[in-house]
Amino acid sequence: MPRFATARRTAALAAAVGLALAATGCGAGTEQSAAGSTTDDTTTGGTASPGPSSAATGGPTDLPTFDPSSAVATYAQGFPPELFPMPDDATLLASSAQPVPAAAGSKGSKTKGVPMTQVTLNLSSSRPTDQVIKQAEKILTAQGFRRIDAPDASGLTAQTAFLRITKEKSGEVQESLVVGVLDDGERRLGSISGTVRTP
């Protein structure tokens, strides 16, 4: 049983960290390299070799490069740390921040031309699930967010959402975040993601 529990915790942790990295497309380099290897085989007229051998012959240049918008164990560049200061009893696992294209940003906001950033933050906590949610609520409401109805948890232990509306002369800016928590038995893995105004 301990071995199974450890494997389960490791998988959950990997999923939490992977969420931030995958959201920023860090695996794109691998797909591109794979496509490049296939093209090289056909253009040189050589016989296609199995995947592992092809990867081995490519050397280090075939390794995926991580998107600079994501970071492990720290706030990514462009992520506003004041948005979600890390509690003392929580550990920051990964985060990401990507600018939202102007056209997409104006959809969720009545104010056109306001720079928006898509953010994701993953953390680990020893607190119970309800306390992690309450802790997140306290942090976000202090930033001017209010709690709203959230979509279905989609396999998570708990999930909630927050909205912040800032009125401007030209309209209003809407920022939204979803907080999800997965209980792996020994600790809670939390994820905060959404779109906020670019700092």
Side-chain angles (χ1 to χ4, degrees):
M1 280 295 290
R3 189 176 300 175
F4 173 75
T6 302
R8 189 161 155 259
R9 286 195 299 272
T10 303
L13 177 60
V17 175
L19 179 62
L21 302 180
T24 57
C26 67
T30 308
E31 294 173 11
Q32 211 168 9
S33 298
S37 299
T38 306
T39 306
D40 290 344
D41 287 339
T42 52
T43 53
T44 56
T47 306
S49 55
S53 299
S54 299
T57 56
T61 55
D62 286 341
L63 293 174
T65 52
F66 292 100
D67 194 302
S69 65
S70 62
V72 176
T74 187
Y75 291 104
Q77 184 175 358
F79 190 106
E82 67 279 2
L83 176 70
F84 200 90
M86 195 55 48
D88 292 337
D89 56 355
T91 302
L92 175 56
L93 300 177
S95 66
S96 68
Q98 282 187 320
V100 176
S106 61
K107 270 185 181 181
S109 167
K110 294 182 180 179
T111 305
K112 294 182 179 180
V114 176
M116 303 293 284
T117 301
Q118 183 178 341
V119 296
T120 302
L121 182 146
N122 292 298
L123 59 85
S124 172
S125 176
S126 58
R127 287 177 175 244
T129 298
D130 61 335
Q131 288 188 23
V132 174
I133 292 290
K134 287 178 181 177
Q135 193 173 49
E137 181 176 8
K138 183 178 180 181
I139 291 171
L140 292 175
T141 52
Q143 306 298 324
F145 285 85
R146 62 182 176 86
R147 191 167 176 173
I148 59 174
D149 291 336
D152 292 337
S154 303
L156 296 174
T157 307
Q159 183 168 283
T160 188
F162 295 87
L163 178 69
R164 179 168 67 182
I165 299 176
T166 306
K167 293 187 177 180
E168 304 281 341
K169 288 182 179 180
S170 55
E172 61 183 34
V173 179
Q174 295 184 7
E175 303 167 274
S176 59
L177 293 169
V178 174
V179 176
V181 180
L182 174 66
D183 188 341
D184 78 345
E186 187 172 299
R187 59 185 164 182
R188 266 48 62 199
L189 300 172
S191 174
I192 298 94
S193 60
T195 305
V196 298
R197 189 172 193 159
T198 301

